[in-house]
Amino acid sequence: MREKKDYVMKYFSVIRILSAIVIALLIIFAIIFFVSEDPLFAIQKMVLGPFETKRSFFNVLERAVPLIFSALALNIVLRSGVFSIAADGSFYMGAVVATAVAIKVQLPNIAHQFVLIVAAGIIGGLISMLPIILNKYTKVDATVLSIMFNSIFYYLGYSIVSEYLLEKSGQWGSAYFPDTARLGKMIQGTSMHWGFLIMVAAIVLVIFLMEKTSFGYKVRVTGINPHFAKSAGIKTGSVILGAAFISGIVAGVGGAVEMVGMYKRFQWQTQVNYVWDGLMVHMLANENPYCIPLTAFFIAFLRIGAEIMSRATDLDNEIVAFLQCIVILLVGSERFLHALKARREQKAALQQVQAATVKGGGQNA
């Protein structure tokens, strides 16, 4: 007799995320009803605004690109069991390196873009390894080191642009990128650039790496139980260092893609802090790389919708930050939908016992 699949348990993580999103949206809608003069119009603009024009919809996809790169980078290193957020420094320096190669190196189209993206990825990977290496020799927590390096590389990158790449004009910024370095528009009438395809390739590669390869298996086992991993012959130190390097590559490539895809020149005078958005997406996806694109799209959709709503109504777009907090609080709570999971687990255990009893009785007969 075939066992009946319990789809609730199979997709429990997805159910938790969707439930959290629905509850958060209901709370936000209730708040809008109390504070807005025209709540129905405000909700309409927030929910349907991104679909009103082609540019608005593709703005959502454009906004999701750096979120996805950051979340993918964190997905790799965090699942190794080390809470390192050096992806922020890798992302920023990836953009700086891409700017330097774009301005200082003359190459033909495609080759120029390829070289600057590869250079940004390598630098990002090396930066991401530093907290892991120093943690080994100094025993200083990798989280503290990664935060410290994010600030160090922000000021280093800012200094490089200011000293060597700055255009002498009234507004702070680098020289303009040549056409051979920019990724170019993929869809006319929007800002959607060819870096979107690079992002899609990154999603496929990270999913394949983390879910289908022996390296991904070693990373996951090391993150879940490092002592068991060591006893199983896994060189946990090398695995963690490799995960950090690949994570930095993804973040560095993300910084390069964002810079030469969305901008005409480097103008980031403050830390971009995409790592915190990436961490939020990673958490909402429940560490599942398959869910990262959908989660990032949802966050980008809400932000664009809130911006459209704030321009058309009396509400501020910061209401989305409140929504994000509610979702993170619910998803991060171990007790959220715990009763549903416990009942399903008890039911499954009881069915297994009954099946074993029936099978044993049949054999004795």
Side-chain angles (χ1 to χ4, degrees), residues 72-334:
L72 290 174
L74 289 170
N75 183 265
I76 297 170
V77 69
L78 295 183
R79 292 175 78 184
S80 71
V82 177
F83 192 85
S84 172
I85 54 173
D88 209 35
S90 298
F91 195 98
Y92 189 87
M93 282 302 296
V96 172
V97 170
T99 299
V101 175
I103 295 172
K104 297 297 184 180
V105 179
Q106 294 183 353
L107 289 169
N109 195 25
I110 299 179
H112 203 174
Q113 299 146 351
F114 177 79
V115 169
L116 68 84
I117 288 173
V118 170
I122 292 172
I123 293 298
L126 295 175
I127 289 171
S128 185
M129 292 170 67
L130 289 177
I132 310 301
I133 295 172
L134 286 180
N135 170 258
K136 180 180 179 180
Y137 292 104
T138 66
K139 303 305 178 184
V140 178
D141 188 76
T143 305
V144 175
L145 289 169
S146 63
I147 294 173
M148 179 181 70
F149 277 120
N150 286 340
S151 296
I152 290 173
F153 282 108
Y154 158 67
Y155 287 109
L156 175 62
Y158 183 86
S159 300
I160 291 172
V161 174
S162 298
E163 185 68 26
Y164 302 106
L165 306 174
L166 200 66
E167 184 181 53
K168 307 302 180 182
S169 63
Q171 187 178 11
W172 190 93
S174 72
Y176 286 91
F177 303 138
D179 291 338
T180 55
R182 298 197 68 206
L183 293 175
K185 290 185 178 180
M186 188 169 71
I187 299 174
Q188 294 302 316
T190 72
S191 299
M192 176 60 68
H193 51 83
W194 290 101
F196 184 82
L197 297 183
I198 299 174
M199 179 207 70
V200 172
I203 293 171
V204 173
L205 290 174
V206 170
I207 289 176
F208 178 78
L209 175 72
M210 296 302 295
E211 305 296 329
K212 306 296 182 181
T213 67
S214 60
F215 176 78
Y217 172 77
K218 292 176 182 177
V219 170
R220 299 197 307 272
V221 172
T222 300
I224 294 171
N225 192 331
H227 299 294
F228 172 78
K230 287 181 181 179
S231 64
I234 297 175
K235 297 180 179 179
T236 56
S238 299
V239 168
I240 293 172
L241 197 62
F245 181 67
I246 297 171
S247 170
I249 289 176
V250 174
V253 169
V257 167
E258 183 69 7
M259 180 53 61
V260 298
M262 291 296 294
Y263 299 88
K264 295 181 179 180
R265 60 178 183 153
F266 189 99
Q267 290 182 293
W268 290 351
Q269 289 185 264
T270 58
Q271 285 182 272
V272 289
N273 290 326
Y274 278 120
V275 69
W276 300 111
D277 287 335
L279 183 60
M280 175 176 61
V281 171
H282 169 77
M283 288 176 59
L284 295 183
N286 201 34
E287 301 186 355
N288 186 343
Y290 288 99
C291 297
I292 283 176
L294 294 176
T295 309
F297 178 83
F298 170 73
I299 296 298
F301 182 89
L302 284 180
R303 290 178 176 178
I304 295 297
E307 290 174 6
I308 294 172
M309 178 190 69
S310 67
R311 290 195 295 265
T313 68
D314 56 335
L315 293 176
D316 196 283
N317 62 2
E318 291 300 323
I319 197 169
V320 172
F322 185 58
L323 185 146
Q324 291 172 180
C325 292
I326 297 172
V327 174
I328 292 173
L329 182 65
L330 291 175
V331 173
S333 172
E334 292 184 3

Side-chain angles (χ1 to χ4, degrees), residues 43-88:
I43 292 172
Q44 176 192 339
K45 283 294 180 182
M46 182 178 177
V47 176
L48 302 178
F51 295 111
E52 289 180 348
T53 65
K54 181 174 75 170
R55 179 174 289 275
S56 296
F57 177 75
F58 281 101
N59 281 344
V60 175
L61 298 181
E62 295 154 15
R63 192 72 66 87
V65 170
L67 302 183
I68 290 174
F69 272 113
S70 299
L72 290 174
L74 289 170
N75 183 265
I76 297 170
V77 69
L78 295 183
R79 292 175 78 184
S80 71
V82 177
F83 192 85
S84 172
I85 54 173
D88 209 35

